[in-house]
Amino acid sequence: MPVENHLSNPYLPTGISGLDSILYGGLLEGNVILLEGLPGTGKTTIGMEFLYRGATQFNECGLIVSFEMSRSKIIRDAAGLGWDFERLEKEGKLKIVILTPEVLAEELGNPDGTLFREIRTTNAKRVFVDGLLPLKHYYSNTKSISFREALHSLITKLHALKVTALFTTEILSASPLGESGTNHEQYLCDTIITLRNQAQRRSVHRSIEISKSRGQAYIGGRHSLKIEPGVGVQVYPRIYARPNVSAIQPTSNTRSTVGIPVLDSMLGGGIYDGSVTLMVGISGTGKTVAGMQFLMEGIKLGKKALLVTLDEHTDQILRNATSLGIDLQAARDKGDLIVLFDSPLELDIDEHFYRIQEIVEKNNIERVVIDSLAAYESSQLEESYDFTIALAAYFKQNLIAAMFNFECPELLGVSQISDKLKASAIVDNIVLLNYVEISTLLRRAITVPKARGSKPDQRTREYVIQQGGICLLEDKSVDDIAQVPQLPFSAYYGVLARSPTRKSPIIEETLASGKNLPHSRIPKPGAKIKPKTRASKEKSIRARN
């Protein structure tokens, strides 16, 4: 995950994936950091990884101080995450010190105590004190000195030794905001990091938040956090609060085909690089097929492609493409196409965004299809709009041509694209796919109501799905087995409005000539309309009778 340095001051990188990004490079050296959270939120794991990354990546010795856990349990838990603390101890890069609150209390007045001696002996740069709660309980039962005074003394001595220290403390009960209240350690520490476990449907979502950090900027808000065996802690910055790469929005004048020739014409000549196209339609109208053609056409032009699917599994999409004569499998085998499947059941929106970003940047992706936005809306309703905005902005920033598919809930016609998502406002092009019932046959209709920077052909056209994908029909009769002759769309009014009305040649010719229609009240162009009197009304009635 990229790290952005906003200040010239040297930071101490934590080495924890994603955490340095939201801290704009790491922690200020010499600061004291407080990790707070309920039991099981990952406080000890982050503290151990802070030392492990320092020893293995930055050649900085670390020291663990524990009041409750034994040395063997610390080594065992670290090994479960793939960290060999026993080897680091033998190499002199890590020291585990087990103390009691009573011993530490005695050492605070003695600069040559065990803790401070070990820091000087090992030349430790990172210190992890796991659990302030036992120390707090000890000082609550003694009258000699308060907990705040003892903690201030400990912080002062650690600062004099020029170490960056990390403390953990437990939140005894979760308030609505998740804060631990007005504890002394919150005021004395330089940086506060709050960890939470939040119920999300029937699963649990971990989050991390920088509540304060003296002397440095950071990305506020709650970010996703995961602890993975054999990997460690993974922090995924919240998608709609990422630092801007540039204040300038790149813009391209280069157009390219979407892979459906007549649709290119309807869009005013293809699509611009860096544009986002929204394909809207009920299931079965061909949104995924259009996405396949869009990606394959890009591959022909030398553009690598990414298909992100939440609706269908990768194998199913590849099978369906093969049945239509679209060889996605070959493109995937060559590395020209990457398919990312994520189940919407327990989707972490921050992690999902990061995976898309990582694939795009590692593979120089130039075309992306998201299939579909409706899956985000159903699984992450509260965050789907923010996700869509962030994703569209990211693609535009990198001049990636993207297609977002969205399933409209209505079978015939479109009364609204989305009640909650409102994606139509943030995309450049909108393509509507509809079913139209004429006689007893469902026929497919396509319309382009919006194309930024272009002059779209806003006529409604007919298309079929056949070998090779979507094919638009010209204005000519379609052969079928229906008993009623099927005429082209040009023979009807109101196709998009769900009420196709047959055009009358007599009406068309009469209106074109400027004459009144027989038995019609339609006046000639420019004719003056006289108000009807009572006498004229009675005359009209007698004439009809």
Side-chain angles (χ1 to χ4, degrees):
M1 185 169 291
V3 172
E4 184 177 348
N5 286 306
H6 279 227
L7 302 175
S8 58
N9 296 344
Y11 283 135
L12 181 79
T14 66
I16 297 173
S17 178
L19 181 56
D20 290 327
S21 291
I22 63 177
L23 287 166
Y24 290 134
L27 300 163
L28 285 179
E29 290 189 74
N31 270 6
V32 176
I33 300 91
L34 178 67
L35 273 176
E36 62 176 15
L38 288 167
T41 51
K43 301 182 297 298
T44 301
T45 303
I46 290 179
M48 290 195 299
E49 184 164 0
F50 174 65
L51 298 188
Y52 176 76
R53 300 299 175 191
T56 57
Q57 295 182 12
F58 306 106
N59 197 30
E60 294 178 345
C61 182
L63 187 141
I64 299 177
V65 178
S66 178
F67 298 114
E68 297 178 314
M69 289 183 64
S70 65
R71 177 181 175 277
S72 60
K73 284 186 177 181
I74 292 174
I75 292 176
R76 179 202 64 190
D77 293 348
L81 292 163
W83 308 330
D84 192 347
F85 275 16
E86 198 167 20
R87 177 181 61 82
L88 292 177
E89 272 197 306
K90 292 177 181 178
E91 295 175 355
K93 294 182 179 179
L94 182 71
K95 185 73 175 181
I96 300 175
V97 178
I98 308 299
L99 294 177
T100 64
E102 294 84 357
V103 172
L104 182 60
E106 294 177 1
E107 291 192 352
L108 289 179
N110 180 12
D112 295 324
T114 305
L115 173 61
F116 307 115
R117 185 172 63 250
E118 291 290 355
I119 292 174
R120 287 192 292 268
T121 301
T122 59
N123 193 29
K125 296 297 181 183
R126 304 181 182 214
V127 173
F128 171 41
V129 180
D130 190 19
L132 291 180
L133 197 58
L135 195 64
K136 183 183 295 186
H137 287 165
Y138 171 79
Y139 280 105
S140 66
N141 296 322
T142 180
K143 303 297 182 182
S144 59
I145 188 175
S146 68
F147 170 70
R148 178 168 185 144
E149 291 173 315
L151 184 60
H152 182 266
S153 176
L154 176 60
I155 291 174
T156 301
K157 287 179 170 57
L158 292 174
H159 182 71
L161 292 170
K162 296 182 180 179
V163 299
T164 303
L166 192 152
F167 298 159
T168 66
T169 188
E170 291 184 6
I171 297 175
L172 300 181
S173 61
S175 69
L177 297 177
E179 289 79 12
S180 58
T182 55
N183 291 330
H184 298 300
E185 56 265 37
Q186 290 184 316
Y187 295 100
L188 295 176
C189 293
D190 302 296
T191 301
I192 300 176
I193 300 177
T194 306
L195 306 178
R196 298 179 180 88
N197 286 341
Q198 183 177 358
Q200 190 176 71
R201 295 186 177 180
R202 298 179 66 181
S203 63
V204 175
H205 176 256
R206 294 179 184 267
S207 67
I208 182 171
E209 178 181 3
I210 313 298
S211 303
K212 85 168 186 181
S213 191
R214 292 176 182 143
Q216 71 175 109
Y218 56 87
I219 302 177
R222 300 185 186 185
H223 312 273
S224 294
L225 180 147
K226 286 194 172 183
I227 299 175
E228 301 179 13
V231 177
V233 176
Q234 299 281 324
V235 176
Y236 301 99
R238 59 190 181 98
I239 48 102
Y240 40 92
R242 295 172 186 270
N244 292 326
V245 177
S246 171
I248 302 174
Q249 173 66 57
T251 302
S252 173
N253 292 318
T254 303
R255 289 181 182 267
S256 57
T257 175
V258 296
I260 306 172
V262 183
L263 181 56
D264 287 333
S265 176
M266 294 177 69
L267 286 164
I271 58 170
Y272 289 110
D273 290 346
S275 65
V276 178
T277 301
L278 183 66
M279 301 287 292
V280 185
I282 191 66
S283 179
T285 49
K287 300 182 299 299
T288 303
V289 177
M292 294 176 184
Q293 292 176 259
F294 171 70
L295 296 180
M296 292 300 289
E297 188 65 28
I299 291 171
K300 290 179 185 177
L301 298 173
K303 301 173 183 288
K304 288 195 173 183
L306 169 65
L307 172 59
V308 181
T309 172
L310 279 75
D311 292 334
E312 295 182 271
H313 192 272
T314 302
D315 293 338
Q316 185 174 338
I317 284 189
L318 296 176
R319 179 204 65 190
N320 296 343
T322 301
S323 69
L324 289 169
I326 303 174
D327 200 351
L328 293 184
Q329 184 66 61
R332 189 184 182 206
D333 293 341
K334 291 179 182 178
D336 294 329
L337 170 69
I338 296 174
V339 182
L340 170 62
F341 171 74
D342 256 343
S343 171
L345 296 178
E346 293 190 6
L347 186 69
D348 185 298
I349 208 77
D350 294 329
E351 179 186 4
H352 181 69
F353 187 98
Y354 170 72
R355 293 182 66 187
I356 293 174
Q357 181 186 34
E358 185 179 41
I359 292 172
V360 166
E361 294 177 0
K362 284 186 177 180
N363 298 277
N364 297 317
I365 299 294
E366 295 185 71
R367 283 200 175 189
V368 177
V369 167
I370 305 294
D371 192 28
S372 69
L373 294 185
Y376 297 108
E377 189 176 21
S378 61
S379 64
Q380 300 283 337
L381 182 58
E382 294 181 356
E383 299 184 7
S384 59
Y385 182 59
D386 298 310
F387 171 79
T388 307
I389 291 177
L391 202 60
Y394 175 72
F395 291 149
K396 290 174 182 289
Q397 188 71 37
N398 292 276
L399 293 180
I400 295 169
M403 181 178 287
F404 292 174
N405 291 343
F406 184 79
E407 182 173 336
C408 172
E410 297 202 13
L411 177 61
L412 298 174
V414 179
S415 63
Q416 60 183 15
I417 291 178
S418 172
D419 181 32
K420 302 294 184 182
L421 197 59
K422 304 188 186 306
S424 57
I426 61 175
V427 300
D428 301 287
N429 312 307
I430 298 178
V431 180
L432 301 181
L433 307 177
N434 287 316
Y435 284 125
V436 179
E437 184 184 18
I438 299 179
S439 178
T440 58
L441 184 67
L442 280 181
R443 295 163 67 177
R444 294 183 172 95
I446 186 169
T447 311
V448 178
K450 174 183 178 181
R452 283 178 181 160
S454 305
K455 187 178 180 181
D457 179 359
Q458 295 180 322
R459 292 181 298 164
T460 296
R461 309 287 291 273
E462 185 175 7
Y463 69 96
V464 293
I465 299 176
Q466 58 186 19
Q467 282 291 306
I470 288 178
C471 177
L472 268 68
L473 302 180
E474 298 298 336
D475 286 342
K476 58 185 178 181
S477 298
V478 181
D479 294 330
D480 53 57
I481 60 173
Q483 293 181 357
V484 178
Q486 299 294 307
L487 300 175
F489 280 174
S490 58
Y492 295 90
Y493 289 116
V495 173
L496 183 62
R498 293 182 281 172
S499 57
T501 304
R502 180 76 173 85
K503 289 183 180 180
S504 170
I506 297 177
I507 295 176
E508 294 293 318
E509 293 174 5
T510 304
L511 288 177
S513 66
K515 298 178 180 179
N516 281 340
L517 295 174
H519 308 294
S520 172
R521 296 180 181 176
I522 301 176
K524 293 182 180 180
K528 294 183 179 180
I529 301 175
K530 297 180 180 180
K532 284 193 173 183
T533 64
R534 182 175 179 178
S536 63
K537 289 181 180 179
E538 291 176 352
K539 184 178 179 181
S540 297
I541 294 173
R542 286 196 300 271
R544 285 199 299 268
N545 294 332

